[in-house]
Protein backbone atom coordinates (compact mmCIF):
# COMPACT_ATOMS: atom_id res chain seq x y z
CA UNK A 1 0.00 0.00 0.00
CA UNK A 2 1.10 3.60 -0.70
CA UNK A 3 3.97 2.40 -2.88
CA UNK A 4 3.54 5.33 -5.28
CA UNK A 5 3.61 7.78 -2.40
CA UNK A 6 6.77 6.22 -0.95
CA UNK A 7 8.42 6.30 -4.38
CA UNK A 8 7.54 9.99 -4.80
CA UNK A 9 8.96 10.68 -1.33
CA UNK A 10 12.19 8.93 -2.25
CA UNK A 11 12.43 10.93 -5.49
CA UNK A 12 11.82 14.24 -3.68
CA UNK A 13 14.98 13.57 -1.64
CA UNK A 14 17.01 12.44 -4.65
CA UNK A 15 15.86 15.61 -6.49
CA UNK A 16 16.63 17.69 -3.39
CA UNK A 17 13.21 19.35 -3.49
CA UNK A 18 12.05 20.56 -0.03
CA UNK A 19 8.69 21.84 -1.28
CA UNK A 20 7.68 18.52 -2.79
CA UNK A 21 9.00 16.64 0.26
CA UNK A 22 6.90 18.84 2.57
CA UNK A 23 3.80 18.46 0.40
CA UNK A 24 4.16 14.67 0.32
CA UNK A 25 4.55 14.66 4.12
CA UNK A 26 1.28 16.56 4.47
CA UNK A 27 -0.38 14.15 2.03
CA UNK A 28 0.83 11.15 4.05
CA UNK A 29 -0.64 12.61 7.26
CA UNK A 30 -3.96 13.16 5.50
CA UNK A 31 -3.86 9.53 4.30
CA UNK A 32 -3.13 8.25 7.82
CA UNK A 33 0.31 6.85 6.97
CA UNK A 34 2.31 6.40 10.23
CA UNK A 35 5.03 9.13 10.19
CA UNK A 36 7.86 6.72 10.95
CA UNK A 37 6.81 4.54 8.02
CA UNK A 38 6.80 7.57 5.71
CA UNK A 39 10.29 8.45 6.92
CA UNK A 40 11.75 4.95 6.65
CA UNK A 41 10.03 3.60 3.54
CA UNK A 42 9.92 6.90 1.67
CA UNK A 43 12.43 9.58 2.55
CA UNK A 44 15.27 7.49 4.02
CA UNK A 45 15.24 5.36 0.85
CA UNK A 46 16.07 8.58 -1.02
CA UNK A 47 18.91 9.45 1.36
CA UNK A 48 20.31 5.94 1.05
CA UNK A 49 20.37 6.29 -2.73
CA UNK A 50 22.01 9.73 -2.55
CA UNK A 51 24.63 8.37 -0.13
CA UNK A 52 25.40 5.44 -2.43
CA UNK A 53 25.69 7.71 -5.47
CA UNK A 54 27.93 10.09 -3.51
CA UNK A 55 30.19 7.21 -2.46
CA UNK A 56 30.33 6.05 -6.11
CA UNK A 57 31.37 9.52 -7.29
CA UNK A 58 28.15 9.98 -9.27
CA UNK A 59 26.69 12.65 -6.94
CA UNK A 60 28.58 15.54 -5.34
CA UNK A 61 28.47 17.57 -2.14
CA UNK A 62 25.69 19.93 -3.36
CA UNK A 63 23.52 16.83 -3.93
CA UNK A 64 24.11 15.76 -0.31
CA UNK A 65 23.28 19.27 0.90
CA UNK A 66 20.05 19.47 -1.12
CA UNK A 67 19.00 15.97 -0.07
CA UNK A 68 19.59 16.95 3.56
CA UNK A 69 17.50 20.10 3.16
CA UNK A 70 14.63 18.16 1.56
CA UNK A 71 14.79 15.58 4.38
CA UNK A 72 14.67 18.31 7.01
CA UNK A 73 11.59 19.83 5.33
CA UNK A 74 9.87 16.42 5.44
CA UNK A 75 10.79 15.71 9.06
CA UNK A 76 9.65 19.21 10.13
CA UNK A 77 6.13 18.32 8.96
CA UNK A 78 6.13 14.76 10.33
CA UNK A 79 7.83 15.44 13.67
CA UNK A 80 4.80 17.06 15.42
CA UNK A 81 2.72 14.02 14.44
CA UNK A 82 5.30 11.69 15.98
CA UNK A 83 5.42 13.74 19.16
CA UNK A 84 1.64 13.85 19.66
CA UNK A 85 1.51 10.35 21.09
CA UNK A 86 3.91 11.29 23.91
CA UNK A 87 2.21 14.51 24.93
CA UNK A 88 0.42 13.31 28.08
CA UNK A 89 2.82 10.69 29.49
CA UNK A 90 4.88 10.53 32.67
CA UNK A 91 8.57 11.31 32.14
CA UNK A 92 10.48 8.04 31.71
CA UNK A 93 13.90 9.64 32.09
CA UNK A 94 16.07 12.55 31.02
CA UNK A 95 18.28 12.21 27.96
CA UNK A 96 21.06 14.51 26.80
CA UNK A 97 21.52 13.99 23.08
CA UNK A 98 23.80 15.35 20.39
CA UNK A 99 26.00 14.74 17.37
CA UNK A 100 29.63 14.59 18.35
CA UNK A 101 32.28 17.26 17.82
CA UNK A 102 33.42 17.61 14.20
CA UNK A 103 30.21 16.12 12.83
CA UNK A 104 27.27 18.13 11.51
CA UNK A 105 24.91 15.30 10.48
CA UNK A 106 21.68 16.02 12.33
CA UNK A 107 18.82 14.11 10.72
CA UNK A 108 19.25 10.70 12.39
CA UNK A 109 20.05 12.23 15.78
CA UNK A 110 16.94 14.41 15.56
CA UNK A 111 14.79 11.40 14.66
CA UNK A 112 16.11 9.54 17.69
CA UNK A 113 15.25 12.56 19.84
CA UNK A 114 11.75 12.71 18.39
CA UNK A 115 11.12 9.01 19.05
CA UNK A 116 12.35 9.32 22.64
CA UNK A 117 10.25 12.44 23.22
CA UNK A 118 7.19 10.82 21.67
CA UNK A 119 7.60 7.89 24.05
CA UNK A 120 7.83 10.00 27.20
CA UNK A 121 11.54 10.82 27.68
CA UNK A 122 12.58 14.41 28.42
CA UNK A 123 15.17 15.06 25.71
CA UNK A 124 17.69 17.86 25.81
CA UNK A 125 19.06 18.10 22.26
CA UNK A 126 22.46 19.81 22.19
CA UNK A 127 22.50 19.91 18.39
CA UNK A 128 25.47 19.03 16.20
CA UNK A 129 29.24 19.45 16.49
CA UNK A 130 28.93 19.20 20.27
CA UNK A 131 32.22 19.38 22.26
CA UNK A 132 32.91 16.21 24.30
CA UNK A 133 32.88 18.06 27.62
CA UNK A 134 29.52 19.68 26.89
CA UNK A 135 27.77 16.28 26.94
CA UNK A 136 29.14 15.63 30.42
CA UNK A 137 28.57 19.14 31.77
CA UNK A 138 24.94 19.20 30.57
CA UNK A 139 24.28 15.69 31.90
CA UNK A 140 25.54 16.74 35.32
CA UNK A 141 23.56 20.01 35.26
CA UNK A 142 20.30 18.24 34.38
CA UNK A 143 20.87 15.08 36.46
CA UNK A 144 20.39 13.15 33.21
CA UNK A 145 19.81 9.40 33.14
CA UNK A 146 21.17 8.86 29.64
CA UNK A 147 23.67 10.53 27.32
CA UNK A 148 23.16 9.73 23.63
CA UNK A 149 25.91 10.42 21.12
CA UNK A 150 25.45 10.25 17.38
CA UNK A 151 28.31 10.05 14.83
CA UNK A 152 27.98 9.59 11.06
CA UNK A 153 31.62 9.68 10.03
CA UNK A 154 34.31 7.08 10.63
CA UNK A 155 36.55 10.03 11.51
CA UNK A 156 34.20 11.39 14.19
CA UNK A 157 32.98 8.18 15.83
CA UNK A 158 36.24 8.13 17.81
CA UNK A 159 34.81 11.23 19.53
CA UNK A 160 32.25 8.96 21.20
CA UNK A 161 35.17 7.52 23.18
CA UNK A 162 36.14 11.06 24.22
CA UNK A 163 32.59 11.61 25.48
CA UNK A 164 32.81 8.34 27.45
CA UNK A 165 36.04 9.60 29.02
CA UNK A 166 34.50 13.01 29.81
CA UNK A 167 31.61 11.27 31.59
CA UNK A 168 34.13 9.28 33.65
CA UNK A 169 36.06 12.45 34.52
CA UNK A 170 32.87 14.10 35.73
CA UNK A 171 32.16 11.06 37.95
CA UNK A 172 28.93 10.31 36.11
CA UNK A 173 29.59 6.70 35.16
CA UNK A 174 28.14 4.16 35.55
CA UNK A 175 25.02 5.94 36.89
CA UNK A 176 24.51 7.88 33.66
CA UNK A 177 24.00 5.44 30.80
CA UNK A 178 25.84 6.05 27.52
CA UNK A 179 24.18 5.06 24.26
CA UNK A 180 25.61 5.42 20.78
CA UNK A 181 24.34 5.48 17.22
CA UNK A 182 25.05 6.52 13.65
CA UNK A 183 25.78 4.63 10.45
CA UNK A 184 29.42 3.57 11.15
CA UNK A 185 28.78 2.61 14.79
CA UNK A 186 28.54 -1.06 15.82
CA UNK A 187 27.87 -3.16 18.91
CA UNK A 188 31.57 -4.04 19.00
CA UNK A 189 32.56 -0.39 19.03
CA UNK A 190 30.09 0.37 21.81
CA UNK A 191 31.49 -2.53 23.86
CA UNK A 192 35.08 -1.51 23.12
CA UNK A 193 34.64 1.99 24.50
CA UNK A 194 32.58 0.85 27.49
CA UNK A 195 29.23 2.32 26.37
CA UNK A 196 25.97 0.73 27.52
CA UNK A 197 24.70 0.04 24.04
CA UNK A 198 24.14 0.97 20.44
CA UNK A 199 20.94 1.61 18.51
CA UNK A 200 20.80 0.65 14.87
CA UNK A 201 17.87 2.99 14.28
CA UNK A 202 15.54 5.27 16.20
CA UNK A 203 13.29 2.43 17.35
CA UNK A 204 16.26 0.41 18.57
CA UNK A 205 17.53 3.49 20.43
CA UNK A 206 14.15 3.82 22.14
CA UNK A 207 14.06 0.17 23.13
CA UNK A 208 17.64 0.39 24.45
CA UNK A 209 16.84 3.51 26.50
CA UNK A 210 13.78 1.81 28.01
CA UNK A 211 15.69 -1.37 28.82
CA UNK A 212 18.59 0.49 30.43
CA UNK A 213 16.21 2.39 32.72
CA UNK A 214 14.04 -0.67 33.38
CA UNK A 215 10.93 1.00 31.83
CO1 LIG B 1 27.38 13.24 4.77
N1 LIG B 1 28.30 11.53 4.71
N2 LIG B 1 29.08 14.18 4.72
N3 LIG B 1 26.30 14.84 4.66
N4 LIG B 1 25.89 12.13 4.45
C1 LIG B 1 27.50 10.32 4.86
C2 LIG B 1 27.36 9.95 6.33
C3 LIG B 1 28.33 9.26 4.01
C4 LIG B 1 28.12 7.81 4.48
C5 LIG B 1 28.02 9.43 2.50
C6 LIG B 1 28.82 8.46 1.66
O1 LIG B 1 29.97 8.70 1.37
N5 LIG B 1 28.22 7.36 1.25
C7 LIG B 1 29.79 9.80 4.24
C8 LIG B 1 30.53 9.22 5.45
C9 LIG B 1 31.63 8.25 5.08
C10 LIG B 1 32.28 7.72 6.30
O2 LIG B 1 32.82 8.42 7.11
N6 LIG B 1 32.18 6.41 6.46
C11 LIG B 1 29.55 11.29 4.36
C12 LIG B 1 30.55 12.26 4.13
C13 LIG B 1 31.88 11.77 3.62
C14 LIG B 1 30.33 13.64 4.38
C15 LIG B 1 31.32 14.79 4.24
C16 LIG B 1 32.73 14.51 4.77
C17 LIG B 1 31.35 15.20 2.74
C18 LIG B 1 32.37 16.24 2.38
O3 LIG B 1 32.37 17.34 2.89
N7 LIG B 1 33.26 15.86 1.48
C19 LIG B 1 30.64 15.93 5.05
C20 LIG B 1 31.05 15.91 6.53
C21 LIG B 1 30.53 17.11 7.28
C22 LIG B 1 30.75 16.96 8.78
O4 LIG B 1 29.91 16.38 9.48
N8 LIG B 1 31.86 17.45 9.30
C23 LIG B 1 29.20 15.54 4.91
C24 LIG B 1 28.15 16.46 4.93
C25 LIG B 1 26.82 16.13 4.77
C26 LIG B 1 25.70 17.17 4.67
C27 LIG B 1 25.88 18.31 5.66
C28 LIG B 1 25.75 17.74 3.26
C29 LIG B 1 24.41 16.29 4.84
C30 LIG B 1 23.83 16.32 6.28
C31 LIG B 1 22.70 17.31 6.39
C32 LIG B 1 22.08 17.33 7.76
O5 LIG B 1 22.17 16.42 8.56
N9 LIG B 1 21.44 18.45 8.01
C33 LIG B 1 24.94 14.89 4.57
C34 LIG B 1 24.08 13.77 4.31
C35 LIG B 1 22.61 14.08 4.09
C36 LIG B 1 24.59 12.43 4.26
C37 LIG B 1 23.81 11.11 3.96
C38 LIG B 1 23.48 11.11 2.46
C39 LIG B 1 22.53 10.91 4.75
C40 LIG B 1 22.67 10.98 6.27
C41 LIG B 1 21.31 10.88 6.88
O6 LIG B 1 20.71 11.88 7.26
N10 LIG B 1 20.73 9.65 6.88
C42 LIG B 1 24.89 10.01 4.38
C43 LIG B 1 24.78 8.73 3.59
C44 LIG B 1 23.82 7.75 4.27
O7 LIG B 1 23.70 7.69 5.47
N11 LIG B 1 23.15 6.96 3.47
C45 LIG B 1 26.14 10.79 4.44
C46 LIG B 1 19.34 9.41 7.29
C47 LIG B 1 19.25 9.20 8.79
C48 LIG B 1 17.80 8.94 9.18
O8 LIG B 1 20.02 8.08 9.11
O9 LIG B 1 21.80 9.48 10.24
O10 LIG B 1 22.14 6.97 9.88
P1 LIG B 1 21.24 8.11 10.16
O11 LIG B 1 20.50 7.87 11.56
C49 LIG B 1 19.81 6.66 11.86
C50 LIG B 1 20.71 5.61 12.53
O12 LIG B 1 22.08 5.72 12.21
C51 LIG B 1 20.40 5.77 13.98
O13 LIG B 1 19.04 6.13 13.99
C52 LIG B 1 18.80 7.03 12.91
C53 LIG B 1 17.36 6.90 12.49
O14 LIG B 1 17.06 5.61 12.02
N12 LIG B 1 21.10 6.76 14.79
C54 LIG B 1 21.16 6.60 16.14
C55 LIG B 1 21.69 7.92 14.46
N13 LIG B 1 22.13 8.53 15.56
C56 LIG B 1 21.82 7.76 16.61
C57 LIG B 1 22.04 7.93 17.97
C58 LIG B 1 21.61 6.89 18.83
C59 LIG B 1 20.98 5.77 18.34
C60 LIG B 1 20.74 5.60 17.01
O15 LIG B 1 21.76 6.95 20.15
C61 LIG B 1 22.31 8.12 20.71
Amino acid sequence: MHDDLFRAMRDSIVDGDPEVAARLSRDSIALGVPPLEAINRGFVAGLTHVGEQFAAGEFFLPDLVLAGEAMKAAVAILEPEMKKSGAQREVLGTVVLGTVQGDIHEIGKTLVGTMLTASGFAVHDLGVNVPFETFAAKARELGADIVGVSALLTTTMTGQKDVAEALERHGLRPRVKLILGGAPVTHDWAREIGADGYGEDALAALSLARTLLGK
Side-chain angles (χ1 to χ4, degrees):
M1 223 160 95
H2 303 306
D3 284 351
D4 289 346
L5 176 66
F6 294 141
R7 200 168 307 114
M9 287 171 161
R10 172 193 177 281
D11 292 347
S12 71
I13 301 297
V14 175
D15 296 341
D17 193 330
E19 280 172 25
V20 173
R23 178 173 54 72
L24 293 168
S25 297
R26 283 190 287 270
D27 290 351
S28 72
I29 293 168
L31 288 167
V33 177
L36 201 58
E37 199 175 331
I39 287 172
N40 285 334
R41 291 187 59 194
F43 298 116
V44 168
L47 278 180
T48 303
H49 179 73
V50 171
E52 285 165 1
Q53 294 296 102
F54 179 75
E58 298 289 335
F59 280 15
F60 301 98
L61 192 54
D63 301 304
L64 276 190
V65 174
L66 289 173
E69 291 304 313
M71 182 74 184
K72 276 167 60 183
V75 171
I77 305 282
L78 295 171
E79 207 171 27
E81 292 299 308
M82 292 169 72
K83 281 186 177 158
K84 269 182 193 165
S85 56
Q88 311 287 334
R89 305 239 186 97
E90 58 156 332
V91 175
L92 297 180
T94 299
V95 181
V96 167
L97 181 68
T99 302
V100 76
Q101 187 172 314
D103 197 324
I104 60 169
H105 293 86
E106 66 179 329
I107 296 163
K109 175 270 301 164
T110 302
L111 272 180
V112 169
T114 302
M115 280 306 293
L116 291 172
T117 305
S119 305
F121 285 89
V123 176
H124 189 93
D125 190 337
L126 294 168
V128 297
N129 190 21
V130 179
F132 314 129
E133 279 291 321
T134 304
F135 284 96
K138 189 50 89 175
R140 196 164 61 178
E141 179 193 325
L142 297 178
D145 304 291
I146 296 178
V147 167
V149 189
S150 184
L152 263 285
L153 300 170
T154 42
T155 48
T156 57
M157 64 186 266
T158 53
Q160 293 175 324
K161 184 164 187 278
D162 295 283
V163 175
E165 288 166 2
L167 293 175
E168 289 283 355
R169 271 199 305 281
H170 283 247
L172 296 173
R173 296 284 285 153
R175 187 191 69 74
V176 177
K177 306 300 175 201
L178 174 62
I179 68 173
L180 311 178
V185 180
T186 61
H187 282 293
D188 286 349
W189 171 246
R191 206 173 306 121
E192 188 183 325
I193 69 167
D196 295 291
Y198 142 81
E200 188 184 3
D201 56 25
L203 276 176
L206 170 61
S207 136
L208 177 62
R210 277 203 175 120
T211 306
L212 288 172
L213 299 191
K215 306 280 178 171

